[in-house]
Amino acid sequence: MSETKTATSAEQQTATQTASGEKVFTFWQATTLIPSTMLSVSILYLPRMISQASGGAGIIMILIGGLFPLLVTWILTKVGQQFPGLTFVGYTQKLFAFGGKKQLGCWLALPFFVVMASWWVLATAVSLRTFAEAQRSIVLPYTPIWFIVATMLLVSATVASNKAEIIARMNEFLFPFIMIPLLFITVLALVEVDWTNVLPLFHITWKQFWWGLLYSIYAYAGVSVILMFMSSYQQPQHAVKAHSLGISFVIVVYVLLMIACVGVFTNRELQQLMWPTLEVMRNIRFPGFVFERIEAGFLAIWVTAVFTTLANYLTSTVHMVSEYMGIKHRQKLWVSLPLVIIVYVLALWPPDLFTVFTYVEKVLLYGVIILIVFPIVLTLMVFVRRGKMDRGRHDERRPEEGR
């Protein structure tokens, strides 16, 4: 029995070393990882949700909400830097291996892996379903929901079992095609803004403030993917700078989108629109009618953004499960297949769009709790382990001083 446990632990350690040995993420690729994950399907409905939650202070809330993920990312990055070359799976097991018992660390860390993997799966499922609903209501009215979900899921799943190098290059390549046109179109939308609709900025109650903050934080929940990819950074010492820059890109996009939506429609009208961002794009007019349907170009950008988000979430889940179970790279496909089935079933579970948004709110709350609890627990464990190591070194020095 003990030999089996030792073998399993050795396989997990080998998988961890294999996953961490590929130093493939450059500084810029690490920067593009976060915005490529954050900018997703929520772009279409996020302004409405934040406006409903915070009243007339959505612009301020999306800005303040970006400060919390910056703090969370800083904490998670600093924890990861304490264990160079190890993923979230590797260093969490190490933190919980009290008394050097690796098997104990393996079991105590399991709930954290289950919670994080389940959130990535749920976030993927609700994103897929919302994507399918939006596509059906905007451009594909006669296409079955199951077909849209299956197509996008299979395309995203083809990336999930690949090595970190493929993920790094994918995010780096697609990032300019997402960010540059998105910023350009959003700035164009500001031309249609009635700035009197934006004011006052701070008209908000404490209840609206906390609910608005909750929804705003969810918009940045994609930072969690760094837990699995940071071990592959070529320059982990510059990870804080790369992550902060990536989040800053997202904050700028969200703030500009919020200003455009509120300025064009007012807060009251914004709260009645299903896809407010798309409605803003439809209001953009080019001189001479050079581009008569700018929303078509926006939707193309949006589909690309959704793809990178789904691919990053699925890849993080597959890598986490594979590393914990000691599954080699060639067998990761057998992790991807059941995961695709689970996500597909969950995505089709809600019977209608209203239920979908109810599930989105529940997944939102789940993700925010994880962003609050995980950094606190990991930080405490790092300090506890560091304290024990310092006491151990001190005890070793005392006999030497006596001699």
Side-chain angles (χ1 to χ4, degrees), residues 284-293:
I284 297 176
R285 295 291 181 271
F286 274 89
F289 298 98
V290 178
F291 298 105
E292 294 187 13
R293 297 197 61 182

Side-chain angles (χ1 to χ4, degrees), residues 147-338:
F147 182 80
I148 302 175
V149 169
T151 303
M152 193 63 174
L153 179 57
L154 290 175
V155 172
S156 304
T158 55
V159 184
S161 58
N162 283 294
K163 295 183 178 180
E165 182 180 6
I166 304 299
I167 306 302
R169 292 182 178 181
M170 179 196 73
N171 286 290
E172 181 185 28
F173 176 75
L174 293 178
F175 177 74
F177 295 98
I178 299 172
M179 184 58 63
I180 296 175
L182 188 58
L183 284 174
F184 177 70
I185 294 175
T186 307
V187 171
L188 285 177
L190 296 179
V191 177
E192 307 294 330
V193 168
D194 182 354
W195 294 98
T196 59
N197 294 337
V198 176
L199 302 174
L201 293 175
F202 299 96
H203 185 67
I204 188 174
T205 64
W206 279 109
K207 181 180 179 180
Q208 291 174 330
F209 174 83
W210 292 114
W211 278 108
L213 183 63
L214 185 70
Y215 281 82
S216 300
I217 291 174
Y218 171 72
Y220 302 94
V223 299
S224 56
V225 297
I226 67 173
L227 292 171
M228 291 306 299
F229 292 116
M230 190 176 162
S231 63
S232 299
Y233 288 3
Q234 294 179 357
Q235 299 173 303
Q237 68 275 16
H238 299 311
V240 172
K241 184 178 179 181
H243 294 161
S244 300
L245 182 59
I247 295 177
S248 299
F249 281 126
V250 181
I251 292 175
V252 170
V253 170
Y254 282 156
V255 170
L256 291 177
L257 277 177
M258 200 69 202
I259 292 174
C261 290
V262 173
V264 171
F265 299 116
T266 74
N267 278 290
R268 182 173 298 180
E269 186 178 354
L270 173 60
Q271 295 172 20
Q272 307 303 318
L273 298 173
M274 182 64 69
W275 316 112
T277 304
L278 186 64
E279 298 299 329
V280 168
M281 299 305 160
R282 286 173 175 169
N283 283 338
I284 297 176
R285 295 291 181 271
F286 274 89
F289 298 98
V290 178
F291 298 105
E292 294 187 13
R293 297 197 61 182
I294 195 67
E295 71 271 15
F298 171 77
L299 285 174
I301 301 166
W302 174 67
V303 170
T304 307
V306 173
F307 165 73
T308 56
T309 300
L310 298 177
N312 288 339
Y313 279 152
L314 288 172
T315 304
S316 299
T317 309
V318 170
H319 284 205
M320 176 180 286
V321 174
S322 300
E323 184 176 338
Y324 182 78
M325 298 181 67
I327 298 174
K328 297 180 180 180
H329 174 69
R330 293 180 180 179
Q331 284 83 40
K332 283 183 179 179
L333 178 63
W334 300 108
V335 179
S336 300
L337 290 177

Side-chain angles (χ1 to χ4, degrees), residues 30-42:
T31 302
T32 60
L33 175 66
I34 289 181
S36 296
T37 308
M38 286 182 176
L39 297 173
S40 181
V41 65
S42 59

